[in-house]
Amino acid sequence: MAEDAASASQVGQGAGRIDETDRRHLVRCVELARQAVNEGHKPFGSILVSGEGEVLREDFNRTGNGDATAHPEFALAKWAGLNMAPEERARATVYTSGEHCPMCASAHALVGLGRIVFASSTDQLLQWFDEMGADGLPFATVRVRELLPKHEVAGPDPSFATEIRSLHERVHAR
């Protein structure tokens, strides 16, 4: 019974698990993704949380303004590199509604950020695009676990799939 309770409260793949604290942060990421869609952007939202659990910064996708690199994970990595000591960055966690793309994962690693937790995966996104008849991604897909094999990574969390898919459907219906 205790094992069942632990399984119910933790999701993810590999060594990284998603617990209830992580899930609360992912809820905020999905809210930010919804805000991004409402403002004409793609549905991605992210937050940077210190090793002590303080939310330091949050952002959402802003690619609708014409800058294809305006991903929230990239913006958070850039901010962290300019505003946090290396030790602080290493203890920080980036929570995000969608798994990091290769650009964002590289920025994350280059500035020395720690753990990554995502609500939906690249594999889910590709499946949704295929089912919607939407164009794929303009780059080769490399999963964050492949690109950053030494990083602690947790995700996806299936409890967010329906809502995140619906946000992508709204964008692709435009």
Side-chain angles (χ1 to χ4, degrees):
M1 184 68 115
E3 187 174 307
D4 291 339
S7 298
S9 69
Q10 295 185 346
V11 207
Q13 299 174 354
R17 297 282 179 209
I18 295 175
D19 62 22
E20 291 307 317
T21 298
D22 296 331
R23 198 166 283 113
R24 281 193 302 276
H25 289 306
L26 290 174
V27 165
R28 178 62 182 147
C29 292
V30 174
E31 291 170 354
L32 290 164
R34 189 177 315 108
Q35 181 179 351
V37 172
N38 291 340
E39 294 189 23
H41 308 289
K42 293 182 181 175
F44 296 94
S46 305
I47 61 174
L48 175 64
V49 177
S50 74
E52 292 73 39
E54 178 187 356
V55 175
L56 300 173
R57 194 107 170 142
E58 57 182 42
D59 202 358
F60 57 83
N61 185 286
R62 297 171 192 279
T63 58
N65 293 337
D67 179 0
T69 67
H71 297 193
E73 305 89 346
F74 189 83
L76 294 179
K78 186 173 181 176
W79 183 88
L82 295 171
N83 293 282
M84 297 172 71
E87 315 76 56
E88 294 172 314
R89 294 192 303 261
R91 290 191 315 269
T93 298
V94 173
Y95 292 91
T96 189
S97 60
E99 183 174 359
H100 286 32
C101 72
M103 175 187 71
C104 294
S106 296
H108 185 105
L110 286 169
V111 300
L113 285 166
R115 186 169 180 244
I116 297 170
V117 182
F118 57 89
S120 64
S121 70
T122 299
D123 291 333
Q124 288 172 305
L125 181 63
L126 293 173
Q127 179 182 341
W128 298 334
F129 282 1
D130 186 53
E131 292 169 356
M132 290 184 270
D135 290 336
L137 299 170
F139 49 82
T141 54
V142 179
R143 293 2 171 235
V144 72
R145 286 180 176 89
E146 297 169 47
L147 195 57
L148 306 180
K150 295 180 181 179
H151 270 73
E152 183 181 349
V153 177
D157 183 331
S159 66
F160 295 100
T162 300
E163 185 170 6
I164 294 171
R165 180 192 169 113
S166 71
L167 291 171
H168 283 283
E169 288 172 341
R170 281 181 55 197
V171 167
H172 290 287
R174 289 184 191 150

